[in-house]
Amino acid sequence: MFTEKELSEAQALVARQMSATPAHDWPLLAQALGTDVVVKHENHAPTGAFKVRGGITFIDWLKRAHPEMRGVVTATRGNHGQSQARAAVAAGLEAHIVVPHGNSVEKNAAMRAYGANLIEHGDDFDTARELAMEMAETQPLYPVPPFHKELVRGVSTYGYELFSEHPDLDVVYVPIGCGSGICGTIAARDALGARARIVGVVSEHAQTAKLSVESGAMVETDSARTFADGMAVRVPVAAALEIYSEGADHIGTVTEEEIAEAIRLYFRATHNLAEGAGAAPLALAMKEKEQNAGLKVGVILSGGNIDTAWFSTVLQGQVPPV
């Protein structure tokens, strides 16, 4: 997708607004997985998630490519919306963010705090996205899709940091929602000539990415009801599917219970917060630990924005209702 030079330039742009996130090896996680493991802490990024990187590069591109636009409009379950609101408002643009009803209370509050005009519509992300695209047709607002070259170029910088620091990783686990994260990881690996296998992770209740790869065609699901809201997608993004269907080693599923246990493990072993999608890579790495014996494993802790009530439920050994 990108040359090393293109990613280096993106890294320089992102570095103006945020520091590189840490990549730590935690001994208690190594004990749990039975092998070397490195956590890429995107939960330490501004907004608490990896998406902030794509907002930086996308808004920089938009200001240059479409100076006539008054602002942006997009749909989100939270982290993408925070990223766009943060970058757009800082650049003097409006940010109109559409979320489904019942969205994370605390992610909604964060988006408003970054200056977003928040609109609640529909029962899931894909319905919210339909309204966002309709708004762009009648107002001078640029419709930010869930997947765009400039979003992915920004997101790729976490992979660029990770593989620059740990070029000897054997396998890296990445959650899949609309696909920018896994595609960015694949792009960084390929640009830097790293050897790691990239493994995608989906919830058993939101398997559109896995089903689409297995069938070789777009497969929409009837619902995507998971508390791992960053993976709660019913409709795959064709451009992303084309990349991860070729670039990923395989895609695995995790249950709601396995995600909750991974959140608890992160807290016990590292005292870091992980939201559902952020913990899913660790959950699958735990399931596949026997086949990873003796390997150096990377897991992307993509975000830590979990609502207080949900986290409390998880710490009590339960699964948040959705």
Side-chain angles (χ1 to χ4, degrees):
M1 292 180 64
F2 305 106
T3 65
E4 184 175 357
K5 181 176 182 293
E6 288 173 321
L7 291 192
S8 177
E9 291 171 348
Q11 177 67 28
L13 178 60
V14 168
R16 295 177 199 163
Q17 295 194 31
M18 61 175 282
S19 301
T21 57
H24 288 321
D25 55 340
W26 296 92
L28 289 176
L29 287 185
Q31 288 179 21
L33 269 70
T35 194
D36 293 338
V37 57
V38 174
V39 180
K40 182 59 170 167
H41 281 283
E42 290 301 284
N43 60 314
H44 290 191
T47 76
F50 78 102
K51 294 279 191 177
V52 67
R53 299 170 181 270
I56 293 169
T57 51
F58 185 86
I59 295 299
D60 176 78
W61 166 82
L62 181 64
K63 289 282 285 185
R64 291 181 285 105
H66 296 280
E68 75 281 4
M69 287 296 171
R70 192 177 72 211
V72 296
V73 59
T74 193
T76 186
R77 290 302 301 263
N79 291 335
H80 169 70
Q82 289 183 65
S83 169
Q84 292 300 311
R86 176 183 182 272
V89 172
L93 299 174
E94 298 176 5
H96 301 268
I97 311 295
V98 186
V99 302
H101 291 291
N103 198 54
S104 162
V105 173
E106 291 172 21
K107 286 181 179 177
N108 286 356
M111 286 182 277
R112 290 190 176 101
Y114 280 116
N117 170 39
L118 197 77
I119 303 159
E120 296 184 72
H121 175 78
D123 295 326
D124 57 28
F125 165 77
D126 293 288
T127 307
R129 180 171 58 180
E130 292 172 2
L131 176 62
M133 297 306 105
E134 291 173 6
M135 290 175 62
E137 294 176 359
T138 60
Q139 302 178 56
L141 301 172
Y142 194 90
V144 186
F147 191 89
H148 183 281
K149 181 179 180 180
E150 282 303 316
L151 289 175
V152 179
R153 192 167 74 97
V155 166
S156 297
T157 60
Y158 80 66
Y160 185 88
E161 293 170 5
L162 178 62
F163 291 121
S164 295
E165 188 176 352
H166 295 276
D168 57 340
L169 284 166
D170 294 298
V171 57
V172 177
Y173 289 85
V174 189
I176 304 178
C178 289
S180 65
I182 190 169
C183 291
T185 308
I186 291 167
R189 175 199 64 185
D190 293 348
L192 292 173
R195 71 188 189 196
R197 292 181 291 111
I198 308 297
V199 178
V201 189
V202 297
S203 164
E204 67 172 359
H205 296 305
Q207 294 196 44
T208 183
K210 185 175 188 292
L211 296 174
S212 297
V213 168
E214 291 174 348
S215 69
M218 300 267 287
V219 176
E220 299 182 13
T221 58
D222 294 332
S223 66
R225 296 189 65 81
T226 170
F227 85 92
D229 50 4
M231 303 191 296
V233 176
R234 288 189 296 106
V235 183
V237 175
L241 175 62
E242 183 177 352
I243 294 166
Y244 60 71
S245 63
E246 295 293 330
D249 181 78
H250 67 279
I251 298 174
T253 61
V254 288
T255 67
E256 300 291 278
E257 291 77 12
E258 288 165 342
I259 295 171
E261 176 53 35
I263 292 173
R264 290 189 286 268
L265 177 57
Y266 263 131
F267 193 68
R268 290 195 308 270
T270 76
H271 287 97
N272 273 264
L273 288 182
E275 60 187 90
L282 179 61
L284 186 59
M286 288 292 293
K287 288 180 70 170
E288 298 185 349
K289 67 179 183 178
E290 290 186 6
Q291 67 195 60
N292 291 331
L295 301 182
K296 186 173 182 179
V297 177
V299 288
I300 308 301
L301 203 176
S302 58
N305 297 324
I306 184 170
D307 278 6
T308 302
W310 279 11
F311 186 55
S312 176
T313 298
V314 169
L315 287 185
Q316 294 175 55
Q318 301 171 13
V319 173
V322 292

